[in-house]
Amino acid sequence: MKTNFNNDPEEFELQKMASKKVVKLKAFYSHMFVYAIGVIFFILKEYFGVPFNFFPLKHINLFVMGVWTVFFLVSAIDILVSFRIFGEEWEERKMKSILEKKTKKQKWE
C-alpha cells in the first residue's frame, strides 16, 4: 500500500516507524504460533508418550522447552514493554524533536 506524503517528512517518518512496529509484531506472532505448536508436541511426547523419532521433534525435552520459554518470554516482554513505554505520544515527541534539530541544522548550512 503506497501513500502520498506530499513531501511531508514528519508523516513519512511516522509511517516508517509504524511499519517497523508492524514488522516486529508480525515476527512476534509468528514466534508465538511456532512456540504453541512446540508446546503441543512437547506435551504429546512427554505426557502422552507419542513417539516422535524424526529429527527436530525427537530432541524436544524439558531443557529445550525451558530455554525456548525464556526466549519467548523475553521477546514478549520486549514487545509489550516497548509498546507501553515508547507509545505513540513518545514517538510523536521524538519525531518532532528530530525534525526540529534537522531544520535548525539546515538553517545554518
Side-chain angles (χ1 to χ4, degrees):
M1 179 172 124
K2 297 278 184 187
T3 54
N4 187 5
F5 294 109
N6 297 328
N7 297 326
D8 187 5
E10 185 176 351
E11 286 293 321
F12 179 71
E13 289 298 321
L14 288 173
Q15 180 68 24
K16 248 178 29 178
M17 291 175 78
S19 67
K20 285 181 183 179
K21 270 187 166 183
V22 169
V23 168
K24 200 172 182 181
L25 270 173
K26 183 179 176 183
F28 173 72
Y29 289 144
S30 298
H31 185 194
M32 183 171 57
F33 179 73
V34 172
Y35 176 75
I37 290 173
V39 168
I40 290 169
F41 280 121
F42 174 72
I43 290 171
L44 288 173
K45 180 180 177 188
E46 293 296 319
Y47 295 105
F48 295 108
V50 177
F52 294 115
N53 293 325
F54 45 95
F55 171 64
L57 295 180
K58 81 176 178 181
H59 296 291
I60 290 181
N61 57 27
L62 191 58
F63 176 76
V64 171
M65 289 307 296
V67 170
W68 195 1
T69 300
V70 168
F71 281 117
F72 177 74
L73 291 176
V74 167
S75 175
I77 290 170
D78 175 46
I79 292 287
L80 297 175
V81 169
S82 68
F83 284 1
R84 293 276 186 202
I85 292 176
F86 303 115
E88 289 182 24
E89 297 86 20
W90 178 86
E91 286 178 6
E92 289 177 16
R93 285 194 315 266
K94 191 66 176 173
M95 283 302 305
K96 287 178 183 176
S97 169
I98 290 170
L99 291 173
E100 286 174 6
K101 287 179 185 178
K102 187 174 181 179
T103 54
K104 286 180 184 178
K105 183 179 177 185
Q106 287 176 350
K107 288 179 184 177
W108 290 103
E109 290 179 349

